[in-house]
Amino acid sequence: QQQVKQSPQSLIVQKGGISIINCAYENTAFDYFPWYQQFPGKGPALLIAIRPDVSEKKEGRFTISFNKSAKQFSLHIMDSQPGDSATYFCAASTRGYSTLTFGKGTMLLVSP
Amino acid sequence: DVKVTQSSRYLVKRTGEKVFLECVQDMDHENMFWYRQDPGLGLRLIYFSYDVKMKEKGDIPEGYSVSREKKERFSLILESASTNQTSMYLCASSSTSFRETQYFGPGTRLLVL
């Protein structure tokens, strides 16, 4: 049973465009929603995260939008750059627990 | 900076061999994790540990065991490697204070022939 559903599986965006990756969850006990970025040959690294008490969090060109009623959250990459080409994972965790439930990942390619 | 190191980047083993994957973190983190990463399947949790000599099963523990004799070191053991265990294995750690942020190692790509 997949608890965090991520889409699309892959995405090609032109340089300067907006990249959007979506995730949906069922478990209402989730209360922390991070996004991890993984470059080829590297382990994933935390990119940005949000808690459900806010609807949006922005860090530079990266924004998380959160819709608690729809149980959905998304990552927006503004002015996408070739250096953003990576695999992105959404995840979720429950308060008091250390484990993360990951989505299946989105491979983003930003064309020059 | 937190550093998580894994003993090998690439490993080739034969079916039936016992395989040890080692992970060391240098930030005194209490929590450590082993994942496998497969195309289209994302990151799946194999085992995790909250403390020395303590272990908990993740989502896919079958065919694996772990050992945590020291706080900084977490080992993944494939008792009898099989071809379906060919994968990328990722180790991660986190602190109890900031439990939700996991720091990952670079991964070990294991090929079982």
Side-chain angles (χ1 to χ4, degrees):
Chain A
Q1 182 184 357
Q2 186 185 357
Q3 295 194 52
V4 179
K5 293 186 177 180
Q6 183 173 348
S7 63
Q9 190 170 354
S10 62
L11 183 60
I12 300 175
V13 174
Q14 290 217 327
K15 180 182 175 181
I18 302 173
S19 304
I20 302 174
I21 304 170
N22 300 298
C23 285
Y25 64 96
E26 289 296 325
N27 187 350
T28 55
F30 287 149
D31 75 334
Y32 176 75
F33 302 89
W35 286 87
Y36 280 75
Q37 179 188 54
Q38 183 182 30
F39 292 108
K42 305 283 187 182
L46 179 66
L47 179 65
I48 187 173
I50 197 168
R51 295 198 183 276
D53 52 345
V54 297
S55 60
E56 185 175 283
K57 183 173 182 180
K58 185 175 181 179
E59 291 184 2
R61 295 184 294 108
F62 300 90
T63 300
I64 300 178
S65 297
F66 185 80
N67 186 329
K68 188 173 182 178
S69 60
K71 292 186 283 187
Q72 294 175 347
F73 58 110
S74 59
L75 176 69
H76 295 236
I77 306 174
M78 310 300 288
D79 187 26
S80 298
Q81 298 296 312
D84 297 331
S85 298
T87 299
Y88 293 81
F89 294 96
C90 62
S93 73
T94 305
R95 184 182 298 278
Y97 289 85
S98 299
T99 57
L100 292 170
T101 299
F102 285 91
K104 292 188 175 182
T106 297
M107 192 176 299
L108 171 65
L109 176 64
V110 181
S111 59
Chain B
D1 275 355
V2 175
K3 193 161 187 182
V4 179
T5 58
Q6 296 184 229
S7 52
S8 305
R9 294 301 303 272
Y10 301 95
L11 212 51
V12 180
K13 295 293 181 181
R14 296 281 181 190
T15 301
E17 279 193 77
K18 191 168 186 175
V19 181
F20 293 86
L21 303 182
E22 304 285 338
C23 175
V24 178
Q25 49 92 6
D26 66 357
M27 282 301 292
D28 202 36
H29 283 171
E30 294 82 6
N31 309 312
M32 296 189 74
F33 309 83
W34 275 107
Y35 295 89
R36 65 176 283 176
Q37 181 177 8
D38 301 288
L41 296 179
L43 300 169
R44 292 181 293 167
L45 183 63
I46 304 171
Y47 268 97
F48 60 101
S49 169
Y50 289 125
D51 201 350
V52 175
K53 296 193 184 295
M54 177 272 175
K55 60 185 178 184
E56 294 283 347
K57 292 180 180 180
D59 299 319
I60 52 165
E62 296 78 18
Y64 304 94
S65 62
V66 290
S67 172
R68 193 166 182 200
E69 297 295 320
K70 294 185 178 181
K71 189 176 185 180
E72 68 271 18
R73 188 179 298 268
F74 193 34
S75 302
L76 180 69
I77 303 157
L78 287 65
E79 295 289 344
S80 177
S82 63
T83 54
N84 63 12
Q85 293 179 309
T86 291
S87 186
M88 170 70 84
Y89 289 89
L90 290 161
C91 175
S93 71
S94 70
S95 71
T96 298
S97 305
F98 299 97
R99 61 181 76 233
E100 297 127 337
T101 301
Q102 294 188 11
Y103 297 87
F104 283 83
T108 296
R109 188 167 293 281
L110 172 67
L111 173 62
V112 182
L113 299 173

